[in-house]
Amino acid sequence: MASSTHTPPRKQYGTTVAPPPTPSTQPSHPSTSDAADAISRLLQRLPPVLSLPTRVSPRANSPSSVSFSDQNPNLIADLLSASSQHGFFQLIDHPIPSLLARSAESDSLALFDLPRHQKQLSFPKNWPLGFDADEDEEDGAGEAFCLDSSCSTESNHLSLSSLREFTRAMEKLGLDVLDSLARAVGFVNPSRAGSDQVCSLMWISEDVPGNKTDISGRIYPYVIGLQYQITSQKHSLLVDSGWVTVSPRVDSVMVTVGDIAQVWSNGKVKKVRGRGSVGNRCSESTGKSSRSISMALLLTLPLDTPTVSPLPLLPHSDHGTQSHKAEGEQSTEADSISGISKEEDEEEEEGDERPMFRSFGFEDYAWRVYHERLLLKDPLHRYRI
C-alpha cells in the first residue's frame, strides 16, 4: 500500500500580511495644547464678527425746492424743471401761515373722534364728497373725508372755521401754482377762462400709528395736489418709474403733479399716481409714533367736464423766462441768417406737436379710478396714442 504524504494547502495569494505597525512607526498627533494653539491662531486670522445686513427703510431724498416768491427770477424755469423731471417738488416762501395749518389739523382730528354714524350724517353724500370708510378695517384705518372748498357740513355742531380758512388759502395757492406751471410748460390754463373750469377738494385721512404705509385711501384724478408739511415726515410717492420716498422740509408745501396735468401738457410733465402716503409722525419727546392727519388739497375738474384732452399751446412769446427770451433772440438771429422767419419756425413747431392722449370723459374716468383703485396700473395707459 503506497504511503501518502500530507501537503499543506497552497495560499491563493503569494503575499503575507504585514504585522501591525509598532507605536514608533505610527504618525504622531499633536497634543491637546498644540491643537488649541493652532485653533487660536486660525481664529485670530478671521475677520471681525460677521452679521447679516439689517433691512433699512428706503432712503428719503429732499425734493426739489421751488421758491414761490415774486423775488425769484427763476420761478418759471424751476417749475418746468421739477415738473418735467420728477412730477413733484416742495414750495418754500409761500403765503400759508404755519399756525393756520396746525389749527386746521386740530379741526380735522376732531372729525375722526366722532362716532361712525355721526361721521356719515354730518357731511353731504354727493360723490366724491362725504365720509368714506373701508369696511374691512375695524380700527379706524381707511377712513377719509372729502370736502369741497367751503368744507360744507350738514351739522350745526361742528366748528371747522380753521379748516375752512386753510382750505381756501391752499386753493388760492394751488390756482397760482397752476397758472405758473401752465406758463412754464406752455399750455393754456383753463382756470383763466372761468372759475367753473376747475374745482378743489380737501381730502383728509388719518395716519394711524403702526399701520403699514401705503397709498392714502382711494385715489381720484387731479391736476395738482398740495400738502402742507406740518412736521418732519416722509412721503411715499408712486411715479411712473416706481416708488420714491422724499422728506420735505417742515412748513413747506409738497406739490404733486397729477394725471390731468399730464394729459393737458401732452405728456410734457411727469405725474404722481394718487395722493401719495405720509409716514407716521414721531413724537419729539418720546420718539414714538403719534397721531397725525394728512390734508391734501386737490385741484381737479368738475364732474360734468365733458372731455379731457391735451390743451392748446401758448404762443411762443407768452411763456418762458427771461432766459428763454434770450435764447429766442439768439435763435432769431440764427434764423435770419438761414432765411427762416419766426412765423415759419412757430408753424413748424406747432406742426410737430402730435397728441399723445385720446380724449375721454372725466366722470367715467374718475369713477373707474376711484372704485377700481387702479394704482399699480397706469390709469392713462388705455388713452395713450
Side-chain angles (χ1 to χ4, degrees), residues 8 15 26 28 30 34 69 125 134 153 155 163 184 193 197 213 216 227 275 288 298 306 336 344 349 356:
T15 58
Q26 293 182 1
S28 60
D34 293 339
S69 169
K125 297 180 180 179
D134 192 339
T153 70
S155 172
L163 178 60
Q197 300 298 311
T213 301
S216 296
Q227 293 192 56
R275 304 187 306 279
K288 297 181 180 180
L298 302 184
S336 62
E344 292 174 343
E349 289 181 359
M356 297 181 59

Side-chain angles (χ1 to χ4, degrees), residues 105 230-231 233 279-283 288-293:
E105 185 185 45
I230 295 179
T231 60
Q233 290 176 286
N280 291 333
R281 179 186 302 180
C282 292
S283 172
K288 297 181 180 180
S289 297
S290 60
R291 196 179 179 200
S292 62
I293 289 293

